[in-house]
Amino acid sequence: MGDDSEWIKLPTDQKCEHKVWKARLSGYEEALKLFQRIKDEKSPEWGKYLGLIKKFVTDSNVVAQLKGLEAALVFIENAHVAGKTAGEVVSGVVTKVFNQPKARAKELGTDICLMYMEIEKAEVVQDELLKGLDNKNPKIVSTVCHLKRHHCI
């Protein structure tokens, strides 16, 4: 079992970047619990995840990605630094989430976009969603148009 489970001992942020999808899933689950426990929106703990949040939403494994989306949403809802991630995360949502067949992924992606708007990053969200209209994938364009109908853009 050696190499396969070595990741278990890693810190949460390192699990989130691991090459093994089960390690990333575990990391996202731990991050979600951590994000729910942090009561101070200005805690330095948030900063550790600034560069990782895009990876949460763009994970190549669908199961891990769903947990990553949940964790990303809680991060955006609670971290004072979340606004810094708006462009890259929404771009990731548009290209890697809105084309998913899973309704739950699209729902979480939409919630993430709406949460960024709530924390006053509407212009960034709008720009990324409008870029999505140029996409060749009809699922992405359809989801972006759905958001447009709900006056998000």
Side-chain angles (χ1 to χ4, degrees):
M1 209 150 169
D3 289 347
D4 196 32
S5 61
E6 285 297 310
W7 57 264
I8 292 172
K9 301 172 192 159
L10 292 173
T12 302
D13 56 335
Q14 288 181 24
K15 286 180 187 174
C16 294
E17 294 185 281
H18 204 277
K19 64 181 178 187
V20 176
W21 76 268
K22 287 181 183 178
R24 293 192 308 273
L25 175 62
S26 175
Y28 301 153
E29 288 170 342
E30 290 174 18
L32 175 61
K33 288 175 187 167
L34 172 67
F35 296 166
Q36 291 170 331
R37 279 195 318 265
I38 300 173
K39 298 299 177 210
D40 180 4
E41 71 175 18
K42 295 190 178 181
S43 167
E45 198 66 27
W46 297 117
K48 290 181 188 177
Y49 295 89
L50 262 179
L52 296 175
I53 295 300
K54 182 179 181 178
K55 293 178 190 290
F56 283 39
V57 303
T58 60
D59 198 291
S60 58
N61 179 280
V62 179
V63 175
Q65 183 190 37
L66 277 173
K67 192 53 69 178
L69 286 164
E70 289 177 31
L73 182 59
V74 175
F75 178 90
I76 298 159
E77 288 172 340
N78 295 298
H80 80 290
V81 293
K84 294 178 181 180
T85 64
E88 65 182 12
V89 171
V90 174
S91 171
V93 165
V94 170
T95 59
K96 299 286 185 179
V97 177
F98 287 165
N99 64 349
Q100 285 283 345
K102 293 200 175 279
R104 179 71 179 139
K106 287 182 187 176
E107 179 184 312
L108 287 165
T110 300
D111 289 347
I112 284 170
C113 291
L114 294 173
M115 186 52 61
Y116 276 123
M117 295 177 118
E118 197 169 305
I119 64 169
E120 301 181 7
K121 290 295 176 184
E123 195 172 306
V124 175
V125 172
Q126 237 178 348
D127 290 346
E128 292 304 324
L129 290 175
L130 290 172
K131 287 178 195 173
L133 289 174
D134 292 335
N135 200 293
K136 302 276 187 260
N137 185 323
K139 289 180 184 178
I140 293 173
V141 175
S142 170
T143 304
V144 170
C145 288
H146 175 76
L147 284 169
K148 189 174 181 350
R149 277 195 303 271
H150 286 87
H151 307 293
C152 296
I153 58 172

